Amino acid sequence: MSLNVNPEIVSIFSLWGGVLALKILAMSLLTARQRFRKQVFANPEDTSLASKKSKVVFDDPDVERVRRAHLNDLENVVPWFIVTSLWIGTDPSTWLASLLIRTFVITRIIHTIVYAIVPFPQPARGLSFGVGFLTTGYMAVSTILHYSS
Ligand SMILES: N[C@@H](CCC(=O)N[C@@H](CS)C(=O)NCC(=O)O)C(=O)O
């Protein structure tokens, strides 16, 4: 079996994967923004960076919301990077690869907006999570079928 990776698909994956990596890095900044806004930190030494009112708190709802969104990213984006880098070796069509890669990245950006930036009522978050989840699931199954046949 020969490995045939289309360079156009690699470019699309690199571009959109880079955007997604930056989005995940931005989650740390969003967490820090909430910590400074609420003056709540995870370690005693961090409180010296802020006002005298600042304290160590582990259950601030706004900080925890961003942290849950960050964790959810890691639960979904890490498998996506692994699965996509395997799937593009199965010689998918450029239009399908482009559609699935863009769809996943856009759904993760929407997930962050509706979870951590402007909390939206459900099913906004569930849908953004679900579409991305199905995208990764499709690519994983199609990779397994490709290499097992
Ligand atoms: N680890 C997730 C597994 C299920 C999941 O990812 N659900 C999506 C759609 S409802 C979600 O955004 N969960 C919120 C979260 O992970 O904090 C959880 O505990 O909820």
Side-chain angles (χ1 to χ4, degrees):
M1 185 182 287
S2 65
L3 187 62
N4 188 7
V5 183
N6 177 338
E8 203 180 337
I9 296 178
V10 174
S11 300
I12 295 166
F13 181 36
S14 304
L15 173 69
W16 288 80
V19 169
L20 192 53
L22 279 181
K23 192 216 76 70
I24 296 190
L25 290 175
M27 299 310 288
S28 301
L29 302 180
L30 281 181
T31 311
R33 185 183 72 131
Q34 291 295 0
R35 287 198 183 287
F36 278 94
R37 188 174 76 81
K38 308 285 293 283
Q39 294 292 304
V40 291
F41 296 90
N43 306 286
E45 65 272 24
D46 301 344
T47 59
S48 62
L49 296 169
S51 78
K52 286 205 169 79
K53 281 193 313 184
S54 63
K55 49 187 186 289
V56 174
V57 171
F58 296 117
D59 61 355
D60 181 83
D62 296 324
V63 172
E64 290 309 310
R65 175 174 282 275
V66 181
R67 280 163 51 81
R68 287 195 301 277
H70 196 169
L71 178 62
N72 194 273
D73 264 346
L74 298 177
E75 289 171 358
N76 289 278
V77 175
V78 172
W80 179 81
F81 267 110
I82 295 167
V83 167
T84 307
S85 52
L86 300 174
W87 179 71
I88 63 177
T90 66
D91 200 22
S93 69
T94 305
W95 82 263
L96 181 64
S98 174
L99 177 72
L100 295 186
I101 288 169
R102 287 167 208 237
T103 299
F104 183 84
V105 175
I106 290 168
T107 63
R108 292 314 305 180
I109 292 171
I110 293 172
H111 186 273
T112 299
I113 293 170
V114 303
Y115 199 2
I117 298 180
V118 194
F120 262 58
Q122 286 280 34
R125 172 162 45 87
L127 283 175
S128 59
F129 160 81
V131 174
F133 186 88
L134 289 176
T135 305
T136 307
Y138 168 80
M139 291 194 293
V141 170
S142 124
T143 303
I144 292 166
L145 292 178
H146 179 85
Y147 287 109
S148 60
S149 59

